Amino acid sequence: MTITKSAPPPVGHRDAGDRQGRRGRHVNSSLVLTVVLLLLVTSQGSIRQALSAPVMQSWMTVFVAVIIQALPFLVLGVLLSAVIAVFVPPSFFARALPSRPALAVPVAGLAGAVLPGCECASVPVAGALVRRGVTPAAALAFLLSAPAINPIVLTATAVAFPRDPEMVLARFVASLLVACAMGWLWQRLGRADWLRPPARPASDGLGRGAAFWGSVRHDVMHAGGFLVVGAMAAATLKAVVPESWLQAAAGNFVVSVLALAVLAVLLSICSEADAFVVASLSQFSLTARLAFLVVGPMIDLKLFAMQVGTFGRGFALRFAPATFVLAILVSMLVGAVLL
């Protein structure tokens, strides 16, 4: 029995088929867009009526106000963070830090006050420090302090709390205390097998220009997205949640501190923008809002994921809960003294 193989279609026929497939997808996309536009046009009256409701007006007012106030600081912080991550060699930090770990921890913590960077950049920078021989305790102190007490964040806090200038000092003191305490705690109790040596980042092989813009794009996409989510959450709390509920939570000191600390973890807002979000929650005490500002830059959902990817799951499962508890306790203590 003879088996005959069918000849493949000519190249021209295949090209024609590909063009027809692309044309079909283009037609389908155009059809979907047309249907969506028609639906919007036909229902514009209902949309306009919904947007004109008092609740939506209040929601949009808070949302737009938070975005407009925070965006300049977010952009500036992302640019400065990329400059430091790309153009300042990690070996500089190794040379600048004292050789004794107990002294290197507070020096690394204070370095965060003069080196702007958001939390998205602090994790890879801390990983680079460990990879180049910096003691892990000092690198972890820098990881916690840099996104919390750098000039951009403190300036944004002053702008967000114009009537409460003491909030800037309280944020600086509480965040620095937590960073140094966690560094010393890791130096005393941490084990080498808990900390996985971070891998070499992919950007190390790129030119400075490509690495800079890659860092900017990464941080803008992540931080900008979380800013929008945070602004939406703050607007929803202000406009939708009954005032009596917020007053009930804010009326209990411990509950208010815990509630805003957990909210900071869940919202995962960039540290350049978090002050504007929490400043709108005026029902809560300054101490509760301080807990939000101290916890957020040190441990939230995105930071936990980044710590797992950089240092390993065993590290993150021990470091993150300890940081969360210590940040709450120190915030309550500092708030009682300064606020």
Side-chain angles (χ1 to χ4, degrees), residues 172-196:
F172 177 86
V173 172
S175 299
L176 182 60
L177 286 176
V178 174
C180 292
M182 286 303 300
W184 285 322
L185 187 64
W186 181 266
Q187 178 193 350
R188 185 166 184 83
L189 302 178
R191 289 166 41 182
D193 58 336
W194 291 349
L195 186 67
R196 184 186 67 193

Side-chain angles (χ1 to χ4, degrees), residues 13 19 104 274 301 313 331:
H13 286 212
R19 286 195 297 271
D274 58 0
L301 295 181
R313 181 178 299 177
S331 298

Side-chain angles (χ1 to χ4, degrees), residues 185-317:
L185 187 64
W186 181 266
Q187 178 193 350
R188 185 166 184 83
L189 302 178
R191 289 166 41 182
D193 58 336
W194 291 349
L195 186 67
R196 184 186 67 193
R200 187 178 183 85
S203 61
D204 278 6
L206 300 177
R208 287 189 172 184
F212 174 80
W213 289 114
S215 177
V216 170
R217 286 194 299 269
H218 174 273
D219 288 351
V220 165
M221 292 298 294
H222 281 71
F226 286 114
L227 170 59
V228 171
V229 173
M232 292 174 64
T236 301
L237 287 175
K238 292 285 289 183
V240 177
V241 177
E243 183 71 20
S244 58
W245 292 10
L246 294 178
Q247 292 292 352
N252 187 296
F253 177 74
V254 176
V255 172
S256 65
V257 171
L258 291 176
L260 289 192
V262 172
L263 189 65
V265 174
L266 297 178
L267 293 183
S268 303
I269 305 171
C270 185
S271 58
E272 281 90 358
D274 58 0
F276 297 99
V277 173
V278 77
S280 65
L281 303 178
S282 55
Q283 301 91 338
F284 292 85
S285 66
L286 289 177
T287 300
R289 286 183 278 178
L290 174 64
F292 183 97
L293 296 177
V294 175
V295 170
M298 296 188 175
I299 176 61
D300 57 31
L301 295 181
K302 70 177 185 300
L303 276 176
F304 180 79
M306 294 178 69
Q307 290 174 6
V308 170
T310 303
F311 299 111
R313 181 178 299 177
F315 165 83
L317 289 175

